[in-house]
Amino acid sequence: MALISAKYLRKVYEGEVTTIALDDATFEIERGEFVAIMGPSGSGKSTLMNILGFLDKPTSGDYLFKDQNIIDLSDDQMAEYRNKQIGFVFQSFNLLARTTVYDNVKLPLLYSALPPEKHAEKISKSIASVNLTHRANHFSSQLSGGEKQRVAIARALVNDPELILADEPTGNLDSKSGAQIIKILQTLNEQGKTIIIVTHEQDVARGAKRIILMRDGKVVSDNLVENRTIIHDGQALAK
């Protein structure tokens, strides 16, 4: 059973002009894959990300996550899936500025069933996984852009989700910080996490193992990455 099975996904926005944002997008993603979804602006990749992350539903077609079709879920069930199954990483970090790293990472646990006495262990483990233990008590406003994105990844991990969904995670970073983020995502994938990156940058996509290319709402190619870029000590190495 695939983790994700998308079958003829179609998303249509009605208005003065009818816009087809997704046009019969079909693919599968297995557990443990590292997939980049690429495409220019307007290709449908952001719409697809919203559906994969339980933020929206398709107009037609089927999205099966762990064999559950999201078409059948209520809004409350969608919210529960988002919190328990998906870890989000956004281009703009979405951190609380006057809040510590520790408390930013803690946020998803406020809506979880995990007993409060187990929160500290989970939070500390997530922060350590992105090498920010020494910054745990700093406010996020005191961090560099790369550090902020690492906090966002730690926050995404704290509920131990099935899927990490990263939307342009290096878009606001310099090349060195961006490489560090890709390295962390590669390490998490090596540890078994399923990761999807949405990006328009070829260099970022080549850090994944597979690239789904979109154009005009359609999946136009779906291929494994040859000569994949592996980040080691901040340097990109072709594999």
Side-chain angles (χ1 to χ4, degrees):
M1 180 182 72
L3 178 64
I4 287 171
S5 180
K7 300 177 180 179
Y8 305 107
L9 291 182
R10 190 171 176 85
K11 185 66 178 181
V12 179
Y13 295 101
E14 301 286 357
E16 292 184 8
V17 176
T18 297
T19 301
I20 301 174
L22 281 182
D23 191 359
D24 291 341
T26 299
F27 57 89
E28 289 191 342
I29 295 176
E30 303 290 338
R31 281 180 173 82
E33 285 204 80
F34 188 169
V35 179
I37 297 175
M38 281 198 74
S41 179
S43 63
K45 61 185 188 297
S46 294
T47 300
L48 179 59
M49 185 206 74
N50 288 339
I51 292 173
L52 296 181
F54 301 95
L55 294 165
D56 198 3
K57 289 184 178 182
T59 303
S60 62
D62 296 301
Y63 169 31
L64 280 71
F65 185 89
K66 297 170 66 175
D67 223 23
Q68 169 69 60
N69 197 333
I70 74 162
I71 293 292
D72 302 325
L73 299 179
S74 67
D75 289 346
D76 287 345
Q77 288 172 321
M78 292 268 284
E80 186 174 357
Y81 263 74
R82 282 196 301 274
N83 189 52
K84 291 184 176 179
Q85 306 287 348
I86 310 293
F88 291 98
V89 181
F90 298 100
Q91 177 177 349
S92 57
F93 319 130
N94 289 3
L95 302 180
L96 300 179
R98 298 179 182 178
T99 304
T100 64
V101 167
Y102 185 95
D103 285 336
N104 267 286
V105 173
K106 180 181 179 179
L107 284 173
L109 294 178
L110 300 178
Y111 306 97
S112 78
L114 187 72
E117 60 269 20
K118 295 186 177 181
H119 286 188
E121 180 182 356
K122 293 278 286 185
I123 296 164
S124 296
K125 181 180 178 182
S126 293
I127 293 172
S129 72
V130 297
N131 303 315
L132 280 179
T133 300
H134 63 293
R135 300 288 254 165
N137 294 317
H138 286 71
F139 292 113
S140 61
S141 57
Q142 297 173 306
L143 306 181
S144 68
E147 288 173 329
K148 288 178 181 178
Q149 195 61 291
R150 284 153 63 188
V151 174
I153 293 172
R155 181 184 58 195
L157 288 171
V158 76
N159 266 339
D160 195 25
E162 282 277 1
L163 172 67
I164 300 293
L165 191 53
D167 183 18
E168 302 281 6
T170 64
N172 283 337
L173 305 178
D174 59 50
S175 58
K176 181 178 179 180
S177 297
Q180 290 174 342
I181 296 305
I182 297 304
K183 173 59 179 174
I184 288 171
L185 294 176
Q186 288 178 340
T187 299
L188 292 172
N189 179 243
E190 289 165 7
Q191 294 169 353
K193 284 293 181 189
T194 306
I195 296 174
I196 299 175
I197 287 185
V198 177
T199 184
H200 67 278
E201 298 183 58
Q202 182 72 33
D203 290 346
V204 172
R206 293 196 65 78
K209 295 178 179 177
R210 173 181 163 200
I211 297 176
I212 295 173
L213 180 63
M214 300 192 68
R215 186 174 295 118
D216 298 328
K218 296 178 181 290
V219 173
V220 295
S221 66
D222 183 351
N223 298 300
L224 296 177
V225 177
E226 296 182 4
N227 300 315
R228 181 185 177 217
T229 300
I230 303 294
I231 308 298
H232 180 70
D233 293 335
Q235 300 296 318
L237 306 173
K239 183 177 181 180

